[in-house]
Amino acid sequence: MRSSQFCCFLLIGCLISQIYASSDAIFHESFDESFEGSWIVSEKEEYSGTWKHSKSEGHDDYGLLVSEQARKYAIVKELGKPVELKDGTVVLQYEVRLQNGLECGGAYLKYLRPQEAGWTAKGFDNESPYSIMFGPDKCGATNKVHFILKHKNPKSGEYIEHHLKFPPSVPSDKLTHVYTAILKPDNELIILVDGEEKKKANFLSSEDFEPALIPEKTIPDPDDKKPEDWDERAKIPDPEAKKPDDWDEEAPMEILDEEAEKPEGWLEDEPEEVDDPEAVKPEDWDDEEDGEWEAPKIDNPKCESAPGCGEWRRPLKRNPAYKGKWHAPLIDNPAYKGIWKPREIPNPDYFELEKPDFEPIAAIGIEIWTMQDGILFDNILIASDEKIAAEIRDTTWKPKFKVEEEKQKAEEQTAGFDGLKGIQKTVFDVLYKIADVPFLAGHKDKIMELIEKAETQPNITIGVIVSIVVVIFSILLKLLFGGKKATKKVNVVAEKKEEGEASNTAAEGEAEEKEEEEEEEEEKSEDAAAAAAPRRKTRRDT
């Protein structure tokens, strides 16, 4: 009896929690019923793609389906009451399944402003004003879960798109995934993918949004000009220095080694190569048309056991008298004033902001262009509580995802590629995460291009992965150690900062020119030495 009562209480509790969850959701579209009459398809001619009410592959659950390839799609759902974003927590969440993958296209949502902003449901298009754009977008080097806030500048009145920096990447499989954006009253933004936190940002931080919502307080004065007598050279050649009398600039870098002796057993009368004794003149060879036939050459077998063959000549050695071109040493520039910068002035466009001036959400729109079909949208949610979003993820997304994941594993095992594909998937997941690392931002496009090439061309996967690793490793080395000249520049900056002065690029340029001249002199010395002792190098040169 007690166990029966417990089960009843548990069932009632679950029922109450579900009722509470659904009633507390501001908006929830499950697509259990047809979307026709509720969602309005754009009548703009360019949006020729056909929307369908369709089951998710392998499930009885319905969604909104992108049914044709290489089409533009636009559809909108007006809310009964605009949703305010300025007070309290707001959660935006939806599921999307890329049943045929996503090579080039979008699968994001647009949360539209009220129609007073200048749009209509039947005329919904790319220009329709939105407050937030959120969701996956992938094509070429682009691979990101967008979050874009369209915010009104309080001074100019202009609406500006502010993009989340370093957004997470789109999962590279054909499973159902759920995307969640949590907007908190303390200006915090949290992006979840499949319930896992992938990005945390602050709306007012210049480190998190580009461009920043709040402009810089000061800017360089555009009217400030560098004085003509401003000297930026930290070091200059010593004007009092003189070339030493014993400095021979003409001495070659290498000279013949007069102490060298021909190795014992050197076969001076034997050529390095001989005619191939097994070669046979082709039957169709015509001496009149093709010329006299000659057998191809092979390495002389007699040279295998000898130190060398052919004419022996003395090798070159480093010239102890070589000093290269003389340059006056560098000294501190007494006229040095540092690197010139325009003075800072107050930014006339600056304003303060305690929190973003979010525009209300009056409708949800899907306006995309895609080369793939099979994109299925489902369970679009707007809620004021994170727990509601979590409960809906657990009840709608998680069961489907587990079934799809198990099916994928079974198919891979049946095909015999479970081990390799599992490793590849893990590697790609790691590489996508690496591509999102902030310090690689300048190289992200190149890295993403390589990753996508490896995914779409399995036969070159290993090679491309190695290339990606090499690229990332090279960037790390460059960031950690830098190049030879870059190191010099940093050292100069460090030294001058200790003295309260800036670095000098002009002096560095002189140092670089000096190095280049020395390299040219070395090349000339090599040429001179080679001319003094011309010979064809053998494969047994010592």
Side-chain angles (χ1 to χ4, degrees), residues 138-144 166 169 427-456 460-461 463-477 479:
K138 184 177 180 182
C139 192
T142 299
N143 185 322
K144 64 180 72 174
F166 315 119
S169 299
V427 170
F428 285 129
D429 288 344
V430 171
L431 290 174
Y432 276 121
K433 289 179 181 179
I434 291 174
D436 285 330
V437 175
F439 79 84
L440 293 175
H443 307 272
K444 183 174 180 179
D445 290 350
K446 183 180 292 184
I447 294 172
M448 294 300 295
E449 185 178 349
L450 288 170
I451 295 173
E452 290 174 2
K453 185 181 291 184
E455 280 190 297
T456 56
I460 63 167
T461 295
V464 174
I465 289 174
V466 171
S467 300
I468 295 168
V469 173
V470 170
V471 169
I472 295 172
F473 185 68
S474 301
I475 296 169
L476 285 171
L477 287 179
L479 289 173

Side-chain angles (χ1 to χ4, degrees), residues 209-230:
F209 279 87
E210 177 64 36
L213 271 72
I214 302 176
E216 296 290 337
K217 283 188 176 181
T218 61
I219 58 172
D221 184 356
D223 298 323
D224 194 14
K225 305 296 181 183
K226 182 172 71 172
E228 294 182 1
D229 61 346
W230 191 280

Side-chain angles (χ1 to χ4, degrees), residues 295-537:
K297 300 290 185 181
I298 62 170
D299 291 339
N300 189 344
K302 294 181 180 180
C303 299
E304 293 296 327
S305 57
C309 291
E311 183 181 0
W312 180 84
R313 295 193 179 190
R314 297 184 183 280
L316 297 174
K317 70 174 184 178
R318 180 81 178 183
N319 183 3
Y322 172 74
K323 293 185 178 181
K325 189 173 178 63
W326 181 84
H327 296 275
L330 296 178
I331 61 171
D332 292 337
N333 182 5
Y336 174 68
K337 293 183 178 181
I339 301 299
W340 183 86
K341 291 182 180 180
R343 64 175 174 267
E344 293 284 318
I345 61 172
N347 184 359
D349 296 324
Y350 173 76
F351 56 84
E352 293 186 354
L353 200 64
E354 291 186 2
K355 62 187 308 180
D357 186 17
F358 292 109
E359 296 286 343
I361 297 173
I364 297 174
I366 305 174
E367 188 275 321
I368 58 174
W369 175 89
T370 178
M371 291 299 294
Q372 274 70 50
D373 57 357
I375 301 175
L376 191 78
F377 295 88
D378 199 4
N379 289 304
I380 300 174
L381 171 72
I382 301 177
S384 58
D385 191 338
E386 296 176 53
K387 293 180 180 179
I388 305 302
E391 289 175 3
I392 290 180
R393 283 197 303 270
D394 290 341
T395 56
T396 65
W397 166 75
K398 188 170 287 185
K400 288 186 292 187
F401 181 78
K402 287 184 176 180
V403 170
E404 293 162 9
E405 195 174 38
E406 290 301 319
K407 183 181 178 182
Q408 178 178 268
K409 289 179 180 178
E411 289 175 350
E412 290 174 352
Q413 289 174 348
T414 302
F417 295 113
D418 182 59
L420 178 59
K421 285 195 173 182
I423 293 172
Q424 286 180 334
K425 184 180 183 302
T426 302
V427 170
F428 285 129
D429 288 344
V430 171
L431 290 174
Y432 276 121
K433 289 179 181 179
I434 291 174
D436 285 330
V437 175
F439 79 84
L440 293 175
H443 307 272
K444 183 174 180 179
D445 290 350
K446 183 180 292 184
I447 294 172
M448 294 300 295
E449 185 178 349
L450 288 170
I451 295 173
E452 290 174 2
K453 185 181 291 184
E455 280 190 297
T456 56
Q457 301 181 45
N459 59 316
I460 63 167
T461 295
I462 302 301
V464 174
I465 289 174
V466 171
S467 300
I468 295 168
V469 173
V470 170
V471 169
I472 295 172
F473 185 68
S474 301
I475 296 169
L476 285 171
L477 287 179
K478 187 174 181 181
L479 289 173
L480 290 173
F481 304 108
K484 180 179 179 182
K485 294 175 185 176
T487 303
K488 287 186 177 181
K489 185 174 180 180
V490 171
N491 290 339
V492 172
V493 173
E495 292 169 5
K496 286 302 174 185
K497 281 185 178 179
E498 292 176 0
E499 300 170 7
E501 299 175 324
S503 64
N504 178 359
T505 53
E508 290 160 10
E510 291 179 3
E512 291 173 2
E513 290 177 3
K514 180 179 179 180
E515 289 179 2
E516 291 173 359
E517 289 175 358
E518 289 178 352
E519 290 174 359
E520 290 176 2
E521 185 63 29
E522 290 177 359
E523 290 176 1
K524 290 179 181 178
S525 299
E526 289 177 354
D527 293 341
R535 70 183 181 93
R536 182 167 63 88
K537 293 182 179 180

